[in-house]
Amino acid sequence: MPRRTSVATIRLLHGLALLSSGLVFGLTLSHVLQAPGSRRLDGAEWLNVMHTFYGGFAVVGGIAEVLGLIAAVALTVVMLVQRKTVSAIATMVAALSMLGTLAAYWFGNRPVNALVTNWTSTTLPSDWSAFRDVWETAHAVSAGLSAVAFIAISLVLLATVYPTKHEV
């Protein structure tokens, strides 16, 4: 018989998964909310904003995405071992959503960030707005996925705190 995971460990995993998905959702939602203003900027203004304002987002977001993925995967394993099928499915949805946020970063934001870092107002390509749109879209995808992760983890916690006669 497998060893039971302590309540303290499960609480820690829930807390980390919830905090991480909440942080990623907040950071990416802030990008989504600023997108209309970003679309009004000309190329030089947009480039100045990109070079000035977003340094801390990547550090905090990157740590939260990875930590959230690890916590959600670990929580899924714990729920499977405890035969809490509904909770396992919900935490697996959260884990896959957090994995999706990382994919959106690696295939959407990161390539654009790498290019923008080297651009100046004189080397800004004429199609710079297409890169801006990819960057904004990747953040919108991440915001949606992190919202799903946050909701899934929240529902597991709510079902645990306020159980019904059904297994969670």
Side-chain angles (χ1 to χ4, degrees):
M1 177 169 205
R3 197 180 125 215
R4 301 276 302 171
T5 305
S6 74
V7 172
T9 299
I10 295 170
R11 283 182 181 159
L12 176 65
L13 291 172
H14 275 235
L16 287 174
L18 188 65
L19 176 63
S20 297
S21 61
L23 278 172
V24 175
F25 179 50
L27 291 171
T28 55
L29 182 61
S30 69
H31 283 299
V32 171
L33 295 174
Q34 61 80 43
S38 174
R39 293 185 193 291
R40 288 190 201 105
L41 301 175
D42 67 27
E45 292 170 326
W46 175 78
L47 188 60
N48 186 44
V49 168
M50 291 295 286
H51 286 171
T52 307
F53 292 109
Y54 296 124
F57 280 75
V59 173
V60 174
I63 291 168
E65 285 173 335
V66 172
L67 187 59
L69 173 61
I70 292 167
V73 167
L75 201 51
T76 299
V77 170
V78 169
M79 295 298 112
L80 286 170
V81 167
Q82 293 184 356
R83 299 179 195 259
K84 294 183 176 182
T85 308
V86 175
S87 292
I89 291 169
T91 55
M92 187 180 307
V93 166
L96 291 172
S97 296
M98 294 305 290
L99 181 62
T101 66
L102 283 164
Y105 168 76
W106 281 96
F107 297 110
N109 299 113
R110 185 175 177 275
V112 174
N113 289 344
L115 292 170
V116 169
T117 298
N118 297 314
W119 290 345
T120 67
S121 58
T122 58
T123 63
L124 187 69
S126 60
D127 63 345
W128 67 270
S129 63
F131 293 96
R132 177 204 58 209
D133 292 345
V134 167
W135 193 83
E136 298 289 1
T137 299
H139 279 105
V141 168
S142 289
L145 290 169
S146 57
V148 168
F150 183 80
I151 291 166
I153 295 297
S154 296
L155 290 175
V156 171
L157 286 170
L158 286 171
T160 302
V161 173
Y162 303 105
T164 63
K165 61 182 174 181
H166 302 289
E167 174 270 331
V168 291

